[in-house]
Amino acid sequence: LVRRNALLTLVLLCIYAGVSLYYLTALQSAMTQVSEVHNRKVELIHRMSNVIQARSLQLYSAAFKDDPWFRDERFMEFRAVAVEFIDLRDRLIALGLDPREQALLDDALDIIRITAPLQEDIMQRILGGEEGPEVWSAIVDQDLPLEMALLNIFQRLAQTVQDNAYAAQLDSEA
């Protein structure tokens, strides 16, 4: 009887250890996956922010130089980064966003719906040979404040994703 109870206790301990090991492995796997998704989100957000800056720099540098070949090259790069941004945006959305992340991305996209045509108009004016205070006023008074607000939103979005990753880690440890 004692041997039977000892054997039963040993079997139950092995089952308990196996179930615990399985649970810990599953938990670690889930946390790794959550961490990877959050890291990819942050990377995409930073790349999107860099693309926004690159597009603005293409515009501003075209305004500085009077060389039509240089301006045409800037225009081609100006257009290329817009396509890259769309790809990055789609990849970020495909990873899934929580409501706060989605709200910040929506705020950023609302500003982009204003800045994209504004920058396109300014670039076309520059390529058309327009120079002087009107172009610089459009850049400094209209575009630059919107670009700064946009970059601020992307910074807040990246921080929100990082905060969510930290919260998910804390929840998994509880």
Side-chain angles (χ1 to χ4, degrees):
L1 185 62
V2 171
R3 282 188 171 176
R4 194 175 291 163
N5 284 341
L7 184 59
L8 182 61
T9 302
L10 185 59
V11 168
L12 288 174
L13 279 174
C14 288
I15 291 171
Y16 178 74
V19 168
S20 295
L21 185 60
Y22 172 78
Y23 172 76
L24 289 174
T25 303
L27 181 63
Q28 181 182 13
S29 175
M31 279 311 303
T32 300
Q33 185 177 12
V34 166
S35 179
E36 287 176 7
V37 167
H38 284 87
N39 288 342
R40 279 186 289 188
K41 283 182 183 182
V42 169
E43 177 193 352
L44 289 170
I45 291 164
H46 286 300
R47 288 179 59 195
M48 291 167 75
S49 181
N50 289 341
V51 165
I52 290 166
Q53 291 174 22
R55 183 172 164 94
S56 295
L57 287 174
Q58 299 306 324
L59 174 66
Y60 304 158
S61 64
F64 274 115
K65 202 152 183 174
D66 200 18
D67 178 1
W69 296 106
F70 178 83
R71 285 180 171 178
D72 188 56
E73 187 178 319
R74 295 290 78 79
F75 176 68
M76 298 304 285
E77 291 174 16
F78 175 82
R79 285 284 175 93
V81 295
V83 173
E84 182 180 355
F85 181 87
I86 292 167
D87 176 59
L88 293 169
R89 178 205 62 201
D90 292 345
R91 290 171 50 196
L92 177 64
I93 291 170
L95 290 175
L97 301 171
D98 84 352
R100 290 184 322 174
E101 295 167 354
Q102 186 64 55
L104 286 167
L105 181 61
D106 289 344
D107 290 347
L109 295 175
D110 287 343
I111 292 175
I112 289 170
R113 285 183 193 92
I114 298 168
T115 61
L118 175 62
Q119 287 184 338
E120 186 70 35
D121 176 63
I122 294 169
M123 181 62 89
Q124 290 302 323
R125 289 164 55 189
I126 292 167
L127 293 173
E130 187 176 330
E131 295 178 10
E134 296 83 19
V135 170
W136 287 109
S137 175
I139 289 173
V140 173
D141 298 334
Q142 296 172 21
D143 184 61
L144 193 56
L146 291 170
E147 291 300 307
M148 297 306 292
L150 187 55
L151 293 174
N152 184 342
I153 290 171
F154 274 103
Q155 185 177 27
R156 290 184 5 234
L157 179 56
Q159 186 61 51
T160 299
V161 169
Q162 289 173 335
D163 292 347
N164 289 344
Y166 183 69
Q169 181 183 8
L170 289 178
D171 286 345
S172 73
E173 292 172 357

